[in-house]
Amino acid sequence: AQKVTQAQTEISVVEKEDVTLDCVYETRDTTYYLFWYKQPPSGELVFLIRRNSFDEQNEISGRYSWNFQKSTSSFNFTITASQVVDSAVYFCALSEFNNDYKLSFGAGTTVTVRA
Amino acid sequence: GAVVSQHPSWVICKSGTSVKIECRSLDFQATTMFWYRQFPKQSLMLMATSNEGSKATYEQGVEKDKFLINHASLTLSTLTVTSAHPEDSSFYICSARGPGTPLHFGNGTRLTVT
């Protein structure tokens, strides 16, 4: 069975601060995909990243960066110099490698960025 | 723009009535669609997977007779909540994929049963 744990329920920061969201996963598969999604108050899910399990290279996209540590089963997400528009719920998700459309989501972390 | 459209965005219905939610892929053929349910401040829980032209596969604990899923065409899947009750109030989100396309999510439907 697959399981994704996002231990942080809510995080509140002041604008321009960095914020790191933790994600720990469990799976019996040797190959799999990991995802991060953003859900703003409007409700839609915005895709941020997909990472396969055999690529442990960290990734940076603008103010977003991801740290994948297979040894600790973690896929953490950092927002650098946060902005008010970053306020949202962020979900980490996991899928089987051969079925990367069937996602198991974590509970989500609500990020509030105050001006 | 949105490639998966959900309708309605929100709906209020009386207890005992049925509600249909539509999920449409706008510019691709959605061979597979997924339906999720999200309670307030909680995660998305997969309810069922539907492949075009075949019966949906429901996740454990999801009542098939209560949540009817139809995927009759390559661009449309519907979720019907039958005999809705207040505990069915939730946010329902669909996602869709087609051959060679990434997974796209709809904007969700907020259902309130009074």
Side-chain angles (χ1 to χ4, degrees), chain B residues 55-75:
Chain B
K55 290 184 178 180
T57 302
Y58 289 80
E59 295 299 304
Q60 191 173 7
V62 178
E63 298 177 59
K64 301 178 184 181
D65 295 332
K66 178 144 190 77
F67 299 100
L68 301 178
I69 293 173
N70 183 282
H71 191 168
S73 78
L74 284 171
T75 59

Side-chain angles (χ1 to χ4, degrees), chain B residues 3-79:
Chain B
V3 294
V4 173
S5 173
Q6 256 185 266
H7 180 80
S9 299
W10 59 269
V11 58
I12 301 173
C13 70
K14 291 186 177 180
S15 186
T17 61
S18 295
V19 175
K20 181 184 286 187
I21 302 170
E22 295 185 346
C23 180
R24 292 181 183 274
S25 58
L26 300 182
D27 57 2
F28 66 98
Q29 294 184 329
T31 50
T32 307
M33 288 186 168
F34 301 88
W35 286 95
Y36 291 86
R37 181 175 182 176
Q38 184 181 26
F39 288 105
K41 297 186 182 297
Q42 294 190 28
S43 186
L44 285 79
M45 302 300 297
L46 180 65
M47 298 174 66
T49 303
S50 74
N51 292 299
E52 185 269 335
S54 60
K55 290 184 178 180
T57 302
Y58 289 80
E59 295 299 304
Q60 191 173 7
V62 178
E63 298 177 59
K64 301 178 184 181
D65 295 332
K66 178 144 190 77
F67 299 100
L68 301 178
I69 293 173
N70 183 282
H71 191 168
S73 78
L74 284 171
T75 59
L76 175 64
S77 176
T78 60
L79 166 67

Side-chain angles (χ1 to χ4, degrees), chain A residues 10 37 39 41-45 47 89 91 99-108 110, chain B residues 34 36 38 41-44 46 49 59 91 93 95 97-98 100-103 105-107:
Chain A
E10 297 183 21
Y37 283 87
Q39 187 180 39
S42 53
E44 78 275 20
L45 280 175
F47 169 82
V89 181
F91 291 99
N99 191 3
D100 65 336
Y101 301 100
K102 188 174 179 181
L103 304 177
S104 297
F105 285 86
T110 300
Chain B
F34 301 88
Y36 291 86
Q38 184 181 26
K41 297 186 182 297
Q42 294 190 28
S43 186
L44 285 79
L46 180 65
T49 303
E59 295 299 304
F91 192 62
I93 305 177
S95 63
R97 61 154 289 234
T101 67
L103 185 67
F105 281 86
N107 284 352

